[in-house]
Amino acid sequence: MEAKPDAQPAADDVLLDALNSVPLEEEVGKSVSFSELFKFAKGYDFALLMLGIVAAMGVGMALPIFSLLFGELVEEGNSLNTDSIGDRVGDLGEWMFIAGGLVFAAGFIMSACFSLSSDNQVHRIKTAYFDAILRQESAWFDLHKTGSITSRLHGNTEIIKQGLSERASFFFYHLFTIIASFSISFVKCWRLTLVLLAMAPLTGLSAVAMFYALTAMGKKNSAAYANAGAIAEEVLSSVRTVHSLSAHRRFEGAYHAEIDGACAASRFAGFVSGAGIGSAFFCMFCTYALGLWYSSFLVDWELSTISEVLTAFIAVLFASVSFGQIIPPITSFAQAQQAAHSIFRVIDREPRVEQGTRKLPELKANIRFNRVTFRYPTRMHRPVIREFSLEIPAGETVAFVGLSGCGKSSLVSLIQRFYEPAAGYFGVRGPGGSFVPLPYEANAVLLEKLRMGGGGAGCPQTVDVTLPISLAATCSKTMAVRLAGTGALSRTVQGSDGPIRWDGGKWYWIERRAAKPGLSACCGPKGSATKSNSDPFAEFEEEPAGDLEFAFPDRVSALLSEAETAGRPFVEVDLAFGRYKIDMYKRTRTNVEQPVEYQKNGAITVDGERLGSLDIGWWRDNIGMVTQEPVLFSGTVFDNIRMGRKEATREEVVEACEQAHIHSVIERWPDAYETKVGEGGCQLSGGQKQRIAIARAIIKRPKILILDEATSALDRESEVKVQKALQSIMNSDNGKVTTIVIAHRLQTVMHADRIVVMQPPSSENDDEGGKIVETGRHAELLANEGYYAKLWNSQNRTTDSRADDASGEAVQSAAADLEAPVQTKTADELEEEQKKQMEEKIKNKTSFLRIARLAAPWNSWLVPGIAGALLTGAVYPVFALVFSEALDILGSMNYKVTDRSDIDKYAVYMLFVAVGAWFGHVLLNGGFGYVGTQLTCRIRKMLFSHYLSQDVAFFDAPGHETGELTTVLSGKAQVIHGLFGLNIGMLLRVLVALGLGFTMAFVRSWRVTLMVLTAVPVLIVTGWLSVAIAASGFGSKGSSTSVVARESIANVKTVVSLNTQADAVASFAAASSAALKKQYRNAFAYALTFGMGQFAIFAVFGIGFLYGGKLISDGTDDFSSIQAAVIQVVMASLGIGEAAGMQASAANAKEAAAVVFETLDTKPSLDQMSERGRSDGVTRGVVEFSDVTFAYPARPNVDVLKRFSLKIAPAGGRQGTQIGLIGSTGSGKSTTLQLLERLYSLSQCGSGSVTVDGIDIAELSLGYWRSMVGVVSQEPVLFDMSVLENVRLGKPNATLEEVIEACELAHIADDITRLPQGYNTKVGARGSMLSGGQKQRVAIARAVVKKPKFLLLDEATSALDNASERLVQRALDHVIETQSMTTITVAHKLTTIENADVITVLDRGVIIEQGSHEQLMKIESGDYKDRYLLYHSL
């Protein structure tokens, strides 16, 4: 949908903005070098690797050496003199046991060394990556999604671990097998070896083709899963907002679309891998066929003996098997190198904020801004602060006031050094001659080169700065900025020349390059490939084939049409990444080199020193900060407060809480200061969170105190008390604290030493914003009767007199017993009890049949899979049969007993085996792989939908933090693939191989076969031990680190402002170290089972030859039968070993399935996605709470509402009414609204009823009820999508006109039109690209657009300046009058509710007063009257 003309961004806004508004992600397919993969290995890790490699050499050389002994044995066994053959066979059996013991020791050392080394390295990589993330500047986070960062932290490091541990050990194991095998084969029979090697290139080509095909599929698959993970994290962390908007289907559809995309990219990957593996086996068996045929010539012509031929043949056989086994490790190396690139790139990246080294001996905190201009990295074209100069003297309190968007919070961010005012800006001249800076990364690199002397006047060197850019998410380009030695700069876009096309009034950019995923830029793609044809910045859902067409922006298209009409041959246009000369006759475009200019910027100084030169950690230690949206972390109240100063004692913590007016509240909680606050402080009210944040700032004893709407969530009484506490800090014993205050309520700043009034840009003149309008003390500014006086008068207007038309007197009641009952169990005990109950349930939740039922829709694909399993299962037994028979013939030929032509038919049989192996692997991997992929996708979608259906009580429970849920959603859902899918086919293949192999062995020599079977239990035992080891270590992988990482990264600004990065990293490292110790134990246990498995293979040979030698000596069996039986058993035993190798993934899958099914079986007390219930009956909108008692499920013994009764009915015959709820923090105001939203179920968490027009709201359909309820919360949540999409969450089918109307009502429309793409501008994660006030007004627009019957405002205007608040309030009043809307407002600002029809005063869950403003003001010593007088006191 196109925006109105007046809502379109200006041409200058379009230039370069699309590139600036998206992250500069790493180029797809980039890898680190193999040696760089080990950059985090220490000396003892390399020692372990060396020892592991030596051990791998021992394991790898064992079988090739066996080929030497076996070749000589076969020749002797087929000789005409067989008197001593029994003893020779027995001797070989003894050597097999000795070799088995040595291989057991070597295998144990190999596996343990590689596992320990990889665990150590990955532990360091994770810690270093997490540390590097927290080091980055805020601009970096603006350009990267939090979800993708955390997914790399766990997903990419797991890939690296796989590449460095078991897969790496197998690589060296098979490498030495190949080297030893070929060495022996060349020595024994070089002719046969060369012939056999002729097929090697075909095998290699098939492996390479499979690798590239799977890599391409994997890239698409990974990208889609990463997007799905980002959606899941954003939605689950903001689930209350999702519920209140009934936006479940919208996000469910988005998540399902990404999962379907991943599924589409990988569903046929099994057929590709099957074709690759099948080709390798086809080539291998064809090689054997060729070898048998050629060997007959060598023996017949007496060029080689049977011993030499057989030794070379078996050695090459071992080498070819190892060639097939070495491909997965090589693939893992490549994947690990790719995964490491994105990790190491962040680790190596130096933050663009200068770290500084100086620490002032005495910090006075005199702060000075000198002609500072600042631009956000995502909007480089628009300065937020322009030529700003101001001095903040040490010890003074300076307040910044002004409308939202004027730059107040940006100044605070600069002081805290979240952002760095660049030393200057490089840019080009856009349309109209305006200066447009280059992208953030380009500007930062050029500034670094400038500091180093590059590009300066007279400098001899030339520097190229190259950045990847892209067109509409698919076409990669490169922008090069050249700094020449003369100081001249220019910019070009490489590889961007090409054709254009005109079609139906629109002009299109034609791109003939191969499509690649990338970043959105200035042109929108044409056709159905886009998400929205009307959105010129939309990205592709799917990668289109052939030539690509991208529509030029409307302004450029109009310019081209005008030139076409005027007959001009050439025209120059500016796009988001460069200037182009358009040849109107040839219909071509040519990039034009543009001059690049440099504009120097001012600086910020502290006590005369440049701010950037000061040690950044020391500087932040001297700053105390409280924001309008306080952030708490999982843990106790005590832990959160002591984050302000780690060495603080409990007495100091209590003292800080008393000053912050929160101590008495904390003491009433059962666990007091040990109360768990929940993820993000979700267990506390907004006011409680903010006062704890204030206590955290107080205990820091800062030299500089920054209060960004610090008391916006407090009632007026608490606000006054906290202001007094803050005032005592400002005048501490150590001297006055330099205080910077940002506030919309001017009463809170009227005593400031200086008030700085700022003005945002207007819709008419963008250059007005970010500047000081006036400055002075409160009295001086009022006397000037300027901008500040207007703001003051608008806020402190006299309350309009209203007729007291409400019947009856005000209600006043006394609260009875308000003390919360003592909780019999602490929070830790309850949490531990719940975890134990969960673990007990999980034990009985795994069901293979249940998984099979989930996969039922794709059962038809099991048919080819089963056929493939039967074919591949028969391959080795049939091969063993053909091979043993061929050995007999070759042995007979050595003594001229048989003719050479007899071997030909067995070579043909081997070709049949090759064809069967190819078809078998294609069908096996393709059929079962398809089912497994579809099953995984289905489980992911089911889990996400199930999460969305849960009520808020589910997310409050321990173990249901966002990090834990997303881990289940991504990790455990994927792991289930190991219990169903290809593993089933592999198991069936093994069973077929065992059955057929042992049957054939029994036919040849049942005595030897029975004896050899005694070694099979060893293989089985090692397999089951692998299951136990994997099961013991799976459940806890990464859970603790996930919680620490997600909270720290999601709230990185709070972590940085508290300067607790080192503490967060230490917590992460401690959690990782705890997991590492368990991994050590598992590594040794797994190494033991691996060694036992290797020993069992040699034990099979040993038992067979020892007993077989005895049988030969006794004359019971001949050598040919013993040889054939042993070969059959060995080939079948390979299947047992392979099955044992699958046990680890099967155990992991079993644990994962238990967790997944436990989650799916958790029935919500109130299904949030249910459509059951009435969808009619609500007409007047009379709401009544009747005797409601309610306690949150996380604190069941603490009643928040107690026998609460309230009737909300339209007054004076109107359809709508206004209700105000006030009270101290924690009195139950927000709880009342949450019950109205039906976020909790009264039947589960309390008693009483809530009705509307006499109907219990529990009987109403959730969708129907919430369609009539609009909500704006105290901390509004916006999603990482455009402004238009965020507002439409309130009403999905809203037209653009309705959206604009809602935004105008919310007083945000002008701000939106100034954004780069207007209503199509992305707001960033949680609305990070907007100011607090802008976020809240967009949230108000989102609530208003649906024209609700009930509007719930929980401190909805707390972040607005007074002018905006007044306008929004007028708009809401108008909406209420014209749309029959009932408004229920929770507020601490009494100006927002004094005109309400009924004001209800709550205290500790009960109503103590009720009435209109006039009625309540008549109550002597009434709570409301005291609050009102206090609120308006000067």
Side-chain angles (χ1 to χ4, degrees), residues 817-1071:
D817 181 16
L818 298 177
E819 291 297 322
V822 178
Q823 192 167 318
T824 57
K825 294 182 180 181
T826 66
D828 287 337
E829 291 172 336
L830 287 173
E831 184 174 341
E832 186 64 28
E833 183 179 316
Q834 289 174 341
K835 285 186 176 180
K836 287 181 178 179
Q837 292 174 354
M838 176 68 74
E839 290 173 1
E840 188 64 31
K841 291 178 181 179
I842 283 176
K843 291 180 181 178
N844 304 312
K845 283 293 179 182
T846 304
S847 170
F848 177 81
L849 291 178
R850 185 171 180 182
I851 298 176
R853 284 195 294 271
L854 289 177
W858 305 283
N859 278 348
S860 59
W861 287 90
L862 293 177
V863 175
I866 292 172
L870 295 176
L871 275 174
T872 54
V875 163
Y876 276 121
V878 173
F879 164 75
L881 175 64
V882 173
F883 184 63
S884 59
E885 292 293 334
L887 286 182
D888 287 342
I889 295 173
L890 287 172
S892 301
M893 285 176 58
N894 203 39
Y895 299 96
K896 306 299 182 181
V897 175
T898 58
D899 187 73
R900 185 196 61 76
S901 60
D902 292 339
I903 204 72
D904 291 348
K905 65 178 180 180
Y906 288 101
V908 174
Y909 294 158
M910 199 67 78
L911 290 176
F912 285 126
V913 173
V915 173
W918 189 87
F919 279 105
H921 281 285
V922 170
L923 295 175
L924 170 67
N925 286 268
F928 282 106
Y930 186 94
V931 174
T933 299
Q934 296 285 10
L935 173 66
T936 300
C937 293
R938 183 179 188 185
I939 289 175
R940 283 182 185 247
K941 293 195 288 188
M942 288 175 63
L943 268 175
F944 187 70
S945 298
H946 190 74
Y947 287 154
L948 290 180
S949 70
Q950 295 293 333
D951 55 22
V952 175
F954 172 85
F955 298 93
D956 291 342
H960 290 170
E961 295 83 5
T962 302
E964 294 283 354
L965 297 179
T966 52
T967 299
V968 174
L969 192 61
S970 57
K972 290 182 171 56
Q974 182 67 31
V975 171
I976 290 180
H977 198 165
L979 197 61
F980 198 89
L982 186 58
N983 270 13
I984 300 298
M986 302 285 277
L987 180 61
L988 180 59
R989 187 186 81 179
V990 169
L991 293 176
V992 172
L994 285 173
L996 191 57
F998 279 108
T999 300
M1000 291 181 177
F1002 268 104
V1003 171
R1004 293 306 302 266
S1005 178
W1006 63 269
R1007 295 179 181 86
V1008 170
T1009 304
L1010 282 177
M1011 184 60 69
V1012 167
L1013 282 176
T1014 58
V1016 172
V1018 179
L1019 290 174
I1020 296 175
V1021 168
T1022 57
W1024 282 111
L1025 285 175
S1026 297
V1027 173
I1029 293 166
S1032 67
F1034 178 70
S1036 60
K1037 284 183 183 177
S1039 58
S1040 299
T1041 56
S1042 297
V1043 173
V1044 175
R1046 202 207 75 81
E1047 274 204 324
S1048 299
I1049 295 171
N1051 305 300
V1052 66
K1053 285 189 177 180
T1054 302
V1055 173
V1056 169
S1057 68
L1058 292 170
N1059 205 26
T1060 56
Q1061 301 98 309
D1063 295 331
V1065 172
S1067 298
F1068 182 90

Side-chain angles (χ1 to χ4, degrees), residues 491-714:
R491 178 183 68 164
T492 57
V493 180
Q494 302 169 358
S496 61
D497 296 349
I500 64 171
R501 188 173 71 84
W502 181 87
D503 181 19
K506 292 285 288 184
W507 292 86
Y508 294 94
W509 172 298
I510 309 299
E511 181 59 45
R512 302 197 186 282
R513 291 185 60 188
K516 294 181 180 180
L519 310 175
S520 174
C522 71
C523 306
K526 176 188 176 184
S528 60
T530 59
K531 293 180 181 178
S532 171
N533 289 333
S534 61
D535 181 359
F537 297 88
E539 296 183 358
F540 282 122
E541 288 183 346
E542 296 183 1
E543 183 177 293
D547 291 347
L548 306 175
E549 297 186 356
F550 310 104
F552 282 103
D554 289 343
R555 62 176 182 82
V556 176
S557 193
L559 187 63
L560 294 177
S561 295
E562 180 183 341
E564 177 84 354
T565 303
R568 293 201 298 270
F570 300 101
V571 62
E572 286 194 1
V573 297
D574 285 295
L575 297 176
F577 45 82
R579 180 169 294 169
Y580 287 85
K581 184 177 182 179
I582 307 296
D583 188 321
M584 302 303 296
Y585 295 152
K586 295 181 180 180
R587 294 289 200 266
T588 59
R589 63 181 187 272
T590 306
N591 181 239
V592 179
E593 187 174 16
Q594 284 180 282
V596 175
E597 301 177 16
Y598 175 68
Q599 291 186 352
K600 191 174 182 180
N601 195 11
I604 305 174
T605 61
V606 177
D607 295 348
E609 300 290 339
R610 187 171 58 85
L611 179 58
S613 67
L614 301 181
D615 180 275
I616 194 168
W618 171 83
W619 171 246
R620 286 172 177 157
D621 276 338
N622 284 284
I623 299 176
M625 176 76 181
V626 184
T627 66
Q628 62 187 12
E629 295 180 12
V631 172
L632 302 184
F633 297 88
S634 294
T636 65
V637 174
F638 181 79
D639 292 337
N640 269 277
I641 296 173
R642 210 166 65 161
M643 287 180 74
R645 185 161 54 90
K646 295 187 290 290
E647 64 275 13
T649 64
R650 181 168 290 273
E651 291 72 22
E652 290 174 320
V653 169
V654 171
E655 181 183 356
C657 291
E658 288 173 343
Q659 290 179 328
H661 197 53
I662 189 65
H663 172 70
S664 60
V665 176
I666 295 173
E667 283 295 305
R668 287 200 300 268
W669 297 337
D671 296 323
Y673 282 88
E674 299 306 315
T675 299
K676 295 288 184 68
V677 302
E679 184 179 12
C682 65
Q683 300 296 329
L684 308 181
S685 70
Q688 290 167 344
K689 286 167 59 178
Q690 201 146 19
R691 282 187 282 175
I692 288 175
I694 291 171
R696 185 171 61 192
I698 290 173
I699 205 169
K700 201 171 188 181
R701 298 174 183 171
K703 289 286 187 178
I704 300 168
L705 185 62
I706 300 176
L707 306 174
D708 187 354
E709 289 289 339
T711 57
S712 63
L714 303 180

